[in-house]
Amino acid sequence: MNLGSLITGSLNDTFAVSLPLFRTELCLAATIVLVLLCRMLPVLRRLDSGLVALGGVCFALWYAWNDLRGIPVGGLPHVGADAAGLVRQELFGGLLVFDSLTAYIRFLLMGFLVLYIPFTKASGIPDHEDGADFYTLVLGATLGMCLMASANHLLMVFMAVEMASVPSYALAGLLKGRKASSEAALKYAVYGAGAAGIMLYGISLLGGLLGTCHLPSMAAELARVVDAGTANGSVMVLALGGLMVAVGLAFKLSAVPFHFWCPDVFEGAAAEIGGFLSVASKTAAVALLLRICFGLGVSPTGIGGAAANLAEPGLAGLASTRHFMVYVVGLMAAVTCTLGNLAAYGQTNMKRLLAYSTIAHAGYIMMAVAAAVALVGVNVAASREAVSAVAFYLGTYLFMNLGAFAIVALLRNRLRSEEIDSYAGLVRSSPGIVIATAVVLVSLIGLPPLAGFVAKFLVFSSLVQAISLEAERPLMLVLLVVGGLNTVLSLFYYLRVLKVMTFDPPPADRVGGEFSLVSLPGAVVTALVVPVVVLGVFWAGLYACAQLAGAFAS
Amino acid sequence: MLPTDTLSQPALWPLTAIVFLPALVAAFLSLPIVPKAREDFIRWTTLLTTAVVFVLSLWMAVPALFGPAGPAQFRLGDPSMQAVVKLPWIEAFGIEYLLGVDGISLPLVVLTTFLSMLAAAASWPITKHVKAYHILFLLLVTGMLGVFVSLDFFLFYVFWEVMLLPMYFLIGIWGGPRREYAAIKFFLYTLLGSVLMLLAILMLYFTSDLRLLSDEQLVAAHVVSPGLDGAARATAVEAIRTADRPLHTFNILALAQIGQLPNSPFAAAQVWGMSLETWAFLLLLIGFVIKVPVVPVHTWLPDAHVEAPTPISMILAGVLLKLGGYGILRICYPICPGAGLSLAWLVCGLGVVSMVYGAFAALAQKDFKRMVAYSSVSHMGYVMLGLGVWSAVAGHEYRWDAWAQGVNGAMFQMLAHGISSAGMFFMVGVLYDRVHHRNLEEFGGIFGRMPVYSGLAIAIFFAGLGLPGLCGFIGEVLVTLSSWNYSRVLAAISAFTVILTAAYILWAIQRVYLGAEYKGPHGDHLTPITPRELAIATPLVFFAILFGVAPQILFNYVTPTVNRQVETLADWTRRVHDGPAGLPVAAVQEPATAQAAR
């Protein structure tokens, strides 16, 4: 093969295959350039950068939706990349991959931005001067998150994580005059740098031992190495490398014990930033966790093939890899969930409370991830359902948590405070916002008929399915019990907020007036809260999309 | 998955209206166009809504009152599920909008709508945040009715949980001094129970498989609509037969059919050394007995009752406690018969312990309302005993008539207690509204000051006591009689408890209503009963007497369904425990010579 044909092939791959499937990200990148350009020209400087960003993001959402819709529904189980439409397509020479998970997560992230930008406009952070910086950073970070969701190569994993993280550090310090904000940014950056370093070290260990960083090739190689069984030392090093990569992921997921940054950053940074980090960043991190677990745990021949492939000789090694991953993810999930809920008890600051709630929810999601990985060796259809549970959880989480942070931000504008006590007796003056808060928090507890219940129901059902199909049964039983108990535990602190809002008398020296839902901020809150109710009753549509995402699992 | 049933089902709109009309009106009331200040408009709207729902439920239950019976109305004497509504909801999980009533649920539905109407009328003295109160109240009504009519486990669970939040706020905002503590305690206990229930539901769902059922069973469980004609039915059945992987179901009737199969997958699966059936039974039972409640998970009840406002206490005692009993009867036993059989001692034991403990605790109370609350614990113990005796005769005595007697007694006790306890709480509330205390020691002489009220109150308290001729008697006596076949000791204890009941109720009557004159605080506020209060108290007393002298009215509804369920389970016991060569059915009818005194 000469150089010429190589270049031609690569060009062909880039222009004919990769770029069309990359148009969502391209659209985001173009929007970033546009936002920055607008500031250069005096004529356009008047233009609100939020509106420019919103316009671009709407296009991106449209592309993302078309990509998701273009995935065939009927033929999913057995198509690889057949004529009917592609289900798994490697982009840019295998650095990225486009499949239904990519499409779904992208769609969620773009949908998130479309809701997020109006919310920041309504809440007034950023102001007009900061607008261009802010939206550039937000869009840039989201671009990185899209890459996280589609990474197919460990190098790409690292780059994507960094691309998502670095703008986030700057965002955390957005409130320039405030000490707490700067402290939050610094803490976040230092923590993030440390985690990234460890992750990179892990990547180099894995890549060095396996001779490749391309996830499917790594899986094949992994199977060979583990199967050979002779080189015990290398298995140890592999496990160590895997754990180090897990550190990086846990940092992004804010999983215990790498969660310490989360409450501090959320408390110090503006609530808008908290909403961004807790929803978008978490969505991408979960997608990346799925990518790595399934990338390393499932043989490339298994992808797109039937379950029979898993019984192939030479792939037994992957079973022990999966076993290892299931235990790491599962135990981390149990600890994360419990610690998040327990730590939330003592909180007096609403943003800090939501930070711990975010941590706890990461735990629930990771439980379903563990179930999905455990099930993939036993029953592929069940594993898909577990991935769908994760995908559905992410979809509802978007509305619940962004809604919660939106309420915090908009109430801050009225009350000048984010302390829970300052919400006392709010129901007397602003019943609408209290009802919205109740819907969001009760959905976070997981009570029907709200979306959070369905999400939790799906997570628990994936665990029960793992139990009934005897996939890692003891661990799954423990996770089920832990998950159930945590639901009860979490009741206290969410209800305490509602209790303060409704039962307690309002303080005599309350500043700020009523908060009516008939206003721009009210409309934002309504737009976020109504889906929480609707998705709790009519969840077939979102679940169908989530099922599509679940189809990515081999 | 299965053929879509159309919107032309006869019972669709009546049943949907019964369940969702209150919620719809609540949504209307929450609109800004209803001003907060128009309190009387809100009160009347709520009362009217509950009245309409009551009439609708009556229209279903007693067609004779409304002219010729339609297809959506209840056919007396038919034990099967009637007025079934079936629409697909979430097809990916086979979740359906499946509603229906039978002889077990319909009387409870009517009881609920009746008490909701009275409670709405009793809500007039509520003056704080009237709008919010009525919105939450109507949501609560939707939740309660939904539980009684759902036949899909998922739907059942949704309604079960929908009740929690309104109740939390109703106790927490409109309650007494310790309302916050009581509200969170109620919520916490119930949520713990319902999370366990959710786990059990999921375990059952993922173990179930519709393909195990015969064609007839599929039709009987409404998995395949009985309304379908030959070809459509064959297609629907074929779709199930040809499925290449297990078809899980949330259909409660189908789960019961699967649970009663000789090769039930629930009994075969093992988790941590016990069969899945046993686990599911225990988890569901915990969820339900917390609602009943039985000792030792009853402690939320006295607090919630004492702190809740009067109308909410009426609803709590009259309806919410029945949800637990209903759940055990409808779900625990039919789906997990094996576990029910082997754990009968547990259910009966819990019942008797609650009965005795509740009675002694009631004797010790100084607070009038707390005493009534503990009497509920004691009375619901009879329900537990009656339900437990059902599966008790495990040896070779197939006294199915004795089981049926116990379950019928338990059902009757639930309905009677719904009337008498709601009445008792209302009577306490009437006094409290006037003198603002409930200290039994400081009452006395009320008869002289409020003769009409006292007369009605004493009648209701006698009904609670179980005086023959009043509604409380029938259930207690049936349960006690049937438990004789199970254990003479338990029967003797439960008969003995009647004396304790008489003691605390008579003592309370003596301390409150009799005596020379009222010496407690606010004596000048002891005004005679108002017409509104009279309009609430009179129907309660009327029905307490009516069902005492003519219990047949209720038994006509209850007995066919209960008897058939008991017969089915008796049959199941014979098949499973004695094999095909077990006792012939004829032996079932014979009087037992050697009772199983275990």
Side-chain angles (χ1 to χ4, degrees):
Chain A
M1 188 188 289
N2 62 10
L3 190 64
S5 69
L6 220 109
I7 290 175
T8 327
S10 160
L11 279 179
N12 189 37
D13 170 58
T14 305
F15 286 104
V17 180
S18 303
L19 285 182
L21 288 173
F22 200 60
R23 53 192 179 167
T24 311
E25 283 90 341
L26 289 179
C27 193
L28 268 189
T31 312
I32 294 174
V33 173
L34 205 64
V35 168
L36 289 176
L37 268 184
C38 281
R39 198 151 69 160
M40 311 274 279
L41 302 173
V43 189
L44 295 176
R45 191 170 288 175
R46 292 259 182 111
L47 201 63
D48 196 320
S49 41
L51 293 182
V52 178
L54 187 60
V57 167
C58 282
F59 272 110
L61 177 69
W62 170 248
Y63 286 138
W65 170 239
N66 275 328
D67 284 345
L68 182 65
R69 220 178 41 171
I71 291 171
V73 182
L76 278 176
H78 300 293
V79 274
D82 67 350
L86 55 168
V87 163
R88 182 187 161 80
Q89 175 67 53
E90 294 199 339
L91 309 182
F92 301 114
L95 283 178
L96 295 180
V97 62
F98 175 86
D99 58 16
S100 53
L101 184 70
T102 312
Y104 180 79
I105 297 290
R106 250 188 212 166
F107 175 65
L108 278 191
L109 287 171
M110 294 308 123
F112 166 78
L113 283 181
V114 167
L115 291 167
Y116 183 67
I117 294 172
F119 152 50
T120 54
K121 295 306 303 174
S123 78
I125 286 187
D127 55 23
H128 189 75
E129 271 309 298
D130 281 343
D133 300 335
F134 178 82
Y135 291 114
T136 312
L137 289 172
V138 165
L139 295 187
T142 314
L143 185 55
M145 291 168 191
C146 288
L147 295 179
M148 278 164 82
S150 51
N152 194 36
H153 192 282
L154 281 186
L155 211 57
M156 203 60 220
V157 168
F158 182 73
M159 302 236 300
V161 166
E162 285 307 285
M163 192 165 173
S165 298
V166 175
S168 307
Y169 306 151
L171 281 173
L174 188 78
L175 302 172
K176 290 186 283 282
R178 283 184 46 197
K179 221 171 130 189
S181 177
S182 312
E183 188 190 324
L186 184 68
K187 247 180 205 164
Y188 194 14
V190 170
Y191 233 105
I198 295 175
M199 188 174 183
L200 193 58
Y201 196 89
I203 289 175
S204 67
L205 284 182
L206 290 179
L209 264 177
L210 300 175
T212 170
C213 279
H214 179 235
L215 285 174
S217 320
M218 284 176 85
E221 194 62 20
L222 201 60
R224 203 182 55 72
V225 171
V226 179
D227 238 11
T230 47
N232 271 331
S234 66
V235 171
M236 275 305 291
V237 177
L238 281 174
L240 194 66
L243 283 177
M244 285 175 152
V245 172
V247 170
L249 283 173
F251 167 74
K252 289 304 288 176
L253 281 165
S254 65
V256 175
F258 306 98
H259 67 289
F260 293 105
W261 61 273
C262 185
D264 290 342
V265 171
F266 279 29
E267 189 182 0
E272 288 80 354
I273 314 301
F276 180 72
L277 293 180
S278 100
V279 178
S281 186
K282 183 134 309 164
T283 305
V286 171
L288 183 59
L289 180 68
L290 283 172
R291 277 269 172 251
I292 292 188
C293 285
F294 277 86
L296 291 180
V298 181
S299 144
T301 51
I303 293 170
N309 285 348
L310 293 164
E312 262 176 42
L315 294 180
L318 287 183
S320 55
T321 312
R322 281 198 300 270
H323 178 72
F324 175 70
M325 287 193 297
V326 168
Y327 267 80
V328 170
V329 175
L331 291 178
M332 214 182 243
V335 177
T336 303
C337 198
T338 313
L339 213 115
N341 277 326
L342 288 179
Y345 269 62
Q347 305 309 324
T348 54
N349 181 297
M350 188 65 189
K351 283 194 296 188
R352 228 179 146 79
L353 183 136
L354 284 177
Y356 281 110
S357 137
T358 300
I359 294 172
H361 281 271
Y364 294 122
I365 300 177
M366 284 163 74
M367 287 181 186
V369 173
V373 179
L375 278 166
V376 77
V378 182
N379 184 329
V380 178
S383 171
R384 286 202 183 108
E385 275 178 28
V387 177
S388 312
V390 175
F392 189 91
Y393 209 117
L394 293 174
T396 56
Y397 192 67
L398 191 164
F399 293 105
M400 291 193 288
N401 242 32
L402 191 58
F405 278 99
I407 289 167
V408 173
L410 298 171
L411 280 180
R412 173 204 62 207
N413 289 352
R414 305 284 159 133
L415 306 172
R416 304 276 146 226
S417 164
E418 285 159 344
E419 297 298 313
I420 294 172
D421 289 342
S422 69
Y423 297 160
L426 214 54
V427 72
R428 315 277 154 82
S429 55
S430 331
I433 194 81
V434 173
I435 293 175
T437 317
V439 168
V440 165
L441 294 184
V442 172
S443 175
L444 284 169
I445 300 174
L447 292 184
L450 301 172
F453 162 68
V454 181
K456 213 166 249 181
F457 166 80
L458 291 173
V459 166
F460 287 169
S461 51
S462 66
L463 292 173
V464 173
Q465 190 148 38
I467 292 167
S468 70
L469 293 171
E470 312 259 343
E472 304 285 358
R473 199 170 194 189
L475 179 68
M476 293 300 146
L477 272 169
V478 170
L479 287 184
L480 187 65
V481 172
V482 170
L485 285 180
N486 267 298
T487 304
V488 181
L489 276 183
S490 68
L491 176 74
F492 270 118
Y493 63 88
Y494 289 122
L495 269 191
R496 191 163 51 102
V497 178
L498 292 182
K499 185 200 85 117
V500 169
M501 283 182 155
T502 53
F503 298 1
D504 292 359
D509 57 340
R510 163 155 296 154
V511 289
E514 295 185 1
F515 189 111
S516 166
L517 284 185
V518 192
S519 59
L520 176 63
V524 169
V525 170
T526 313
L528 289 169
V529 167
V530 167
V532 175
V533 182
V534 173
L535 286 176
V537 181
F538 302 103
W539 46 281
L542 180 62
Y543 189 69
C545 292
Q547 272 184 313
L548 211 57
F552 110 99
S554 72
Chain B
M1 182 177 74
L2 300 172
T4 312
D5 294 69
T6 56
L7 293 174
S8 62
Q9 301 170 71
L12 175 62
W13 296 114
L15 264 188
T16 306
I18 286 177
V19 176
F20 286 102
L21 188 67
L24 210 65
V25 176
F28 162 72
L29 286 181
S30 68
L31 294 178
I33 56 165
V34 180
K36 266 187 202 171
R38 298 195 56 189
E39 298 185 343
D40 271 340
F41 171 74
I42 294 169
R43 288 183 181 124
W44 278 109
T45 312
T46 308
L47 180 60
L48 202 67
T49 311
T50 47
V52 168
V53 173
F54 174 59
V55 171
L56 262 174
S57 66
L58 218 55
W59 173 82
M60 281 197 85
V62 196
L65 289 179
F66 300 86
Q73 284 164 300
F74 194 77
R75 295 178 303 280
L76 214 56
D78 181 353
S80 59
M81 201 49 80
Q82 303 183 29
V84 175
V85 174
K86 176 177 151 88
L87 286 175
W89 181 13
I90 309 290
E91 307 211 352
F93 280 84
I95 300 172
E96 289 170 326
Y97 178 67
L98 188 65
L99 310 178
V101 288
D102 63 1
I104 296 172
S105 54
L106 186 67
L108 289 166
V109 168
V110 178
L111 176 75
T112 308
T113 56
F114 174 63
L115 288 180
S116 305
M117 186 174 68
L118 295 186
S123 300
W124 246 259
I126 304 268
T127 49
K128 193 166 113 186
H129 311 306
V130 173
K131 182 168 165 171
Y133 172 88
H134 285 93
I135 292 170
L136 290 168
F137 176 81
L138 288 170
L139 288 177
L140 178 69
V141 173
T142 287
M144 294 185 302
L145 289 168
V147 170
F148 285 131
V149 299
S150 324
L151 295 178
D152 184 283
F153 222 155
F154 188 87
L155 191 64
F156 177 92
Y157 186 78
V158 168
F159 281 123
W160 184 271
E161 298 275 271
V162 161
M163 287 180 302
L164 291 187
L165 209 62
M167 204 42 146
Y168 170 73
F169 285 113
L170 284 170
I171 298 175
I173 299 179
W174 289 273
R178 286 168 72 241
R179 53 181 179 254
E180 287 173 22
Y181 169 76
I184 189 80
K185 195 169 177 183
F186 162 80
F187 205 148
L188 197 71
Y189 267 76
T190 324
L191 185 68
L192 177 69
S194 44
V195 166
L196 297 180
M197 202 158 101
L198 179 62
L199 300 187
I201 293 175
L202 286 170
M203 284 158 105
L204 291 173
Y205 173 76
F206 281 106
T207 319
S208 65
D209 187 355
L210 285 177
R211 294 177 302 177
L212 297 172
L213 295 179
S214 72
D215 293 5
E216 294 75 35
Q217 283 170 323
L218 287 174
V219 174
H222 291 269
V223 176
V224 175
S225 278
L228 293 179
D229 58 350
R233 178 183 293 193
T235 329
V237 171
E238 189 62 20
I240 292 167
R241 294 276 167 263
T242 52
D244 57 348
R245 58 185 193 142
L247 283 176
H248 304 315
T249 182
F250 280 113
N251 181 325
I252 290 174
L253 303 173
L255 285 172
Q257 300 275 20
I258 295 170
Q260 292 169 20
L261 287 173
N263 53 346
S264 159
F266 304 150
Q270 294 283 317
V271 181
W272 273 335
M274 283 206 286
S275 74
L276 187 137
E277 189 181 29
T278 314
W279 276 110
F281 185 87
L282 280 175
L283 293 175
L284 289 169
L285 188 72
I286 294 172
F288 291 134
V289 297
I290 287 176
K291 264 285 203 279
V292 168
V294 303
V295 177
V297 286
H298 67 290
T299 57
W300 65 268
L301 179 106
D303 287 314
H305 266 319
V306 169
E307 300 308 323
T310 303
I312 302 308
S313 287
M314 290 167 70
I315 293 280
L316 252 177
V319 183
L320 254 70
L321 308 191
K322 311 302 171 293
L323 292 166
Y326 172 76
I328 294 173
L329 185 55
R330 165 79 75 223
I331 290 168
C332 281
Y333 281 112
I335 297 180
C336 313
L341 186 61
S342 53
L343 292 174
W345 57 272
L346 180 68
V347 178
C348 292
L350 284 175
V352 170
V353 169
S354 312
M355 207 186 281
V356 177
Y357 181 93
F360 274 116
L363 263 177
Q365 297 310 316
K366 297 263 185 294
D367 183 314
F368 201 1
K369 212 170 178 186
R370 224 177 162 81
M371 185 220 75
V372 178
Y374 273 109
S375 85
S376 283
V377 175
S378 177
H379 282 134
M380 291 305 284
Y382 283 98
V383 175
M384 289 294 287
L385 180 61
L387 295 177
V389 168
W390 164 336
S391 48
V393 193
H396 294 279
E397 305 288 340
Y398 292 108
R399 292 291 315 270
W400 80 267
D401 52 335
W403 309 3
Q405 195 181 29
V407 180
N408 280 316
M411 268 304 292
F412 195 92
Q413 173 77 353
M414 284 208 269
L415 297 165
H417 179 252
I419 288 169
S420 65
S421 69
M424 289 194 276
F425 277 112
F426 178 71
M427 295 304 178
V428 177
V430 168
L431 268 189
Y432 183 73
D433 283 345
R434 284 168 173 69
V435 298
H436 300 287
H437 79 90
R438 291 185 299 257
N439 190 347
L440 281 169
E441 310 287 339
E442 290 188 287
F443 281 115
I446 301 292
F447 213 136
R449 306 288 294 271
M450 306 169 66
V452 179
Y453 158 75
S454 300
L456 293 170
I458 289 173
I460 280 286
F461 276 97
F462 275 141
L465 185 156
L467 199 70
L470 293 171
C471 63
F473 173 71
I474 315 286
E476 285 178 18
V477 85
L478 284 182
V479 168
T480 309
L481 282 179
S482 75
S483 62
W484 184 259
N485 289 301
Y486 174 51
S487 156
R488 293 182 180 187
V489 178
L490 292 187
I493 296 174
S494 65
F496 199 68
T497 311
V498 176
I499 298 173
L500 288 176
T501 314
Y504 66 75
I505 287 197
L506 289 175
W507 195 26
I509 289 176
Q510 184 197 341
R511 282 185 292 178
V512 175
Y513 297 103
L514 307 182
E517 62 174 318
Y518 178 77
K519 294 201 184 76
H522 304 294
D524 46 336
H525 292 170
L526 281 174
T527 48
I529 190 165
T530 65
R532 183 184 60 80
E533 287 163 344
L534 200 62
I536 300 166
T538 316
L540 287 168
V541 174
F542 172 73
F543 283 112
I545 297 171
L546 180 69
F547 294 143
V549 294
Q552 222 47 45
I553 299 173
L554 288 182
F555 280 131
N556 283 342
Y557 285 91
V558 171
T559 312
T561 310
V562 166
N563 280 8
R564 196 183 64 161
Q565 190 163 334
V566 169
E567 257 180 290
T568 316
L569 286 172
D571 192 45
W572 175 88
T573 319
R574 194 175 59 246
R575 262 187 298 134
V576 171
H577 280 263
D578 296 346
L583 292 178
V585 186
V588 168
Q589 311 286 2
E590 283 169 16
T593 46
Q595 266 99 14
R598 295 194 307 186

